[in-house]
Structures are given as C-alpha cells and as structure tokens.
Amino acid sequence: MATDFLVHEKIWFDKFRYDDAERRFYEQMNGPVAGASCQENGASVILRDIARARENIQKSLAGSSGPGASSGPGGDHSELLARIASLEVENQSLKGVVRDLQQAVSKLEARLSVLEKSVPAHRATAPQTQHVSPMRQVEPPPRGKAAPAAEDDEDDDIDLFGSDEEEDKEAMRLREERLRQYAEKKAKKPALVAKSSILLDVKPWDDETDMAQLEACVRSVQLDGLTWGGSKLVPVGYGIRKLQIQCVVEDDKVGTDLLEEEITKFEEHVQSVDIAAFNKI
C-alpha cells in the first residue's frame, strides 16, 4: 500500500527552478543582496538535493512496480519461508539423531558398569590351583628279603665331593702340559729378521777421482748383517760422476749412521755419502 501511494503521489520536483527564476527576477529589479543571496543559494542547493533524492526514489518505486515486480519482495519472502521450513525439518532430524546417540551411549555406560562389577566377583570366586609335583613311588622290597646292612654302610662311606677335586687337578695338569708344548714349539720356530734395502749415493771429490778404486773401497766395508748389491755410475755434471750402490742390512745389526761412518773413512776418494732410497723388506 505504501509503495502504491508513493508511486501515485504528485511532487513538485522542479520547484527549485522556479525559485531560481524568481530570485533572478527580484535581483534584476532591486539589486543583489549579499547575506540573503548566500542563504537562498544554500537553501536552493538543499532543495535541489532533496528534489533529486525524491526523483530517484520515485524512479526506483516505479521500476519495482513494473512487470518484474512480482519477483521482488513477495518472491523473496516466499523463498525465505521455504528455506526456514527446510531448516526446521533438518533441525528436527538432527535432534532425533542426537537423541539416538545419547541413548546408545547411556546403554554402553550401563553395560560397562555391569561388567566392571562382575569381574572382581569372578576373580574372588575363582579357586586357586596349586601345582603339586608328582611323587616318585618307591617299590617296597619283596617279602622275606631284608636289605643287607653292609650296603647301607658302603653308601655312607661314599665321598660325593672328592671326584671334583680330582677332576680339577687333572685339568690343571693338562693345561700345564699344553702350555709347555706350545712354548717348546715357539722356541724352535726361527724368529723373523727385520731387513732394509738402502740405495746409497757416494760422491767423489772431482772428475779425476778413480771411480773403480772408490767402489772397491766402498765394497771393502764388511759388517755382520750387511750385503752389497749392484752398482752404477750416474753423471752429476762437469764430467763428475757419482757411485750409486745398493745394499741390504739387518736392522738390529747395521744402522745407516754406522754405514755412512765406515764409508767416509776413505777421505782420499769419498767426499760425501747420501741415502737415496730406504725401504723395509
């Protein structure tokens, strides 16, 4: 009813135009008035805004009352009622489900309480079984035959712990015998001799040194555990050559310091001795 009333209501939307025309007419006749004109301009602006707002309201109401007005507020209201009805039905069904769940939980709690009460009673009434080991039956001696007393005396004289001592002594004797045999076998086995292979560089004084005589002097060094090997002459420079000689020594008997000391004793031919290579064998 309110919408129909607003649609058919007649409003003077163009009143501000007439007010402006009337103001301009009086200004031309009497001259402009500063304070009044400002107030009238403000009032005219407010009236213009109000008129525009009314015009917009009227247009919107006219559009809603057109051909598509049937799908407006009435249609929304019916759709809202349908949704409310469906929600009420769904709420009722959910309430029923919750009620069934509560009943099931209460039944389970009651059953659990009954079981908890029955278990201790069953434990209390259960009989305690005792495991009894079977006894060996001893056959009685035949009638008319008595056990001789001599056999009882012999059983009393048996030493139950003497056999253990004898076995311990025998085990100790066997252990000592095996240790002695192992020591003898180890003593007969030859001990390994640690040896080293040494390559020596023997340098002469100059190019006039007799290298054959120098090598003879080096090989003349004879020590226990020293064995000389091959040799060769290696050029150094400016016509000078050095003697490179191989030897094998036993580490416990011959050391490198002793070997160098013995070779450098030939001062007429040997200037210095260097170890070019040293390898364990």
Side-chain angles (χ1 to χ4, degrees):
M1 296 298 290
T3 56
D4 295 335
F5 175 77
L6 290 174
V7 168
H8 298 291
E9 184 182 5
K10 294 181 180 180
I11 302 172
W12 189 11
F13 292 103
D14 296 335
K15 183 179 183 298
F16 65 93
R17 295 178 182 176
Y18 294 99
D19 292 338
D20 292 339
E22 185 179 2
R23 179 179 54 77
R24 284 195 298 271
F25 174 75
Y26 286 111
E27 284 179 355
Q28 290 177 2
M29 291 182 65
N30 302 325
V33 181
S37 63
C38 292
Q39 292 179 359
E40 288 179 357
N41 288 332
S44 63
V45 170
I46 293 171
L47 291 174
R48 190 181 302 111
D49 292 338
I50 294 171
R52 288 176 183 175
R54 289 179 178 178
E55 186 176 1
N56 292 331
I57 293 170
Q58 189 176 10
K59 287 180 180 179
S60 63
L61 292 175
S64 63
S65 62
S70 59
S71 62
D76 295 338
H77 184 68
S78 61
E79 184 179 357
L80 182 61
L81 291 176
R83 289 187 63 184
I84 291 172
S86 63
L87 289 174
E88 289 179 354
V89 173
E90 186 177 358
N91 189 15
Q92 292 296 329
S93 63
L94 289 175
K95 285 183 179 179
V97 172
V98 171
R99 193 182 304 107
D100 296 337
L101 289 174
Q102 289 177 351
Q103 292 177 0
V105 169
S106 62
K107 290 180 181 179
L108 288 175
E109 290 178 352
R111 186 175 180 183
L112 182 61
S113 62
V114 172
L115 290 174
E116 289 178 352
K117 291 179 181 178
S118 62
V119 169
H122 178 69
R123 289 181 180 176
T125 55
Q128 297 181 356
T129 58
Q130 296 181 356
H131 298 282
V132 180
S133 60
M135 298 178 64
R136 186 178 61 182
Q137 295 181 358
V138 180
E139 296 181 357
R143 293 181 180 179
K145 293 182 180 181
E151 294 181 359
D152 296 338
D153 296 337
E154 291 178 358
D155 294 338
D156 295 337
D157 295 337
I158 292 174
D159 188 4
L160 299 177
F161 301 98
S163 59
D164 295 338
E165 295 179 358
E166 292 177 358
E167 290 178 358
D168 294 341
K169 292 179 180 179
E170 184 67 19
M172 291 177 64
R173 187 183 65 79
L174 290 174
R175 182 173 178 274
E176 292 176 356
E177 182 67 21
R178 289 176 181 174
L179 289 174
R180 184 180 60 79
Q181 292 177 0
Y182 176 74
E184 292 177 356
K185 185 177 180 181
K186 188 175 181 181
K188 293 178 182 179
K189 187 176 180 180
L192 295 175
V193 179
K195 295 182 179 182
S196 301
S197 175
I198 303 174
L199 183 63
L200 298 174
D201 285 344
V202 184
K203 297 177 182 179
W205 288 103
D206 51 21
D207 57 343
E208 296 179 357
T209 304
D210 188 359
M211 299 303 295
Q213 185 64 30
L214 187 145
E215 182 177 356
C217 293
V218 172
R219 289 184 181 275
S220 65
V221 177
Q222 298 295 327
L223 298 172
D224 185 17
L226 172 63
T227 304
W228 294 106
S231 63
K232 63 179 180 179
L233 297 176
V234 180
V236 178
Y238 302 101
I240 301 175
R241 295 180 297 174
K242 66 180 179 180
L243 175 65
Q244 199 169 67
I245 187 168
Q246 185 83 24
C247 66
V248 177
V249 298
E250 295 181 8
D251 296 342
D252 295 338
K253 297 179 180 180
V254 181
T256 56
D257 296 337
L258 177 61
L259 192 59
E260 291 178 5
E261 183 180 353
E262 292 294 329
I263 295 173
T264 52
K265 286 181 180 181
F266 303 98
E267 298 177 354
E268 296 179 358
H269 300 86
V270 179
Q271 178 191 5
S272 62
V273 178
D274 297 326
I275 298 174
F278 187 94
N279 297 313
K280 290 288 185 180
I281 298 177

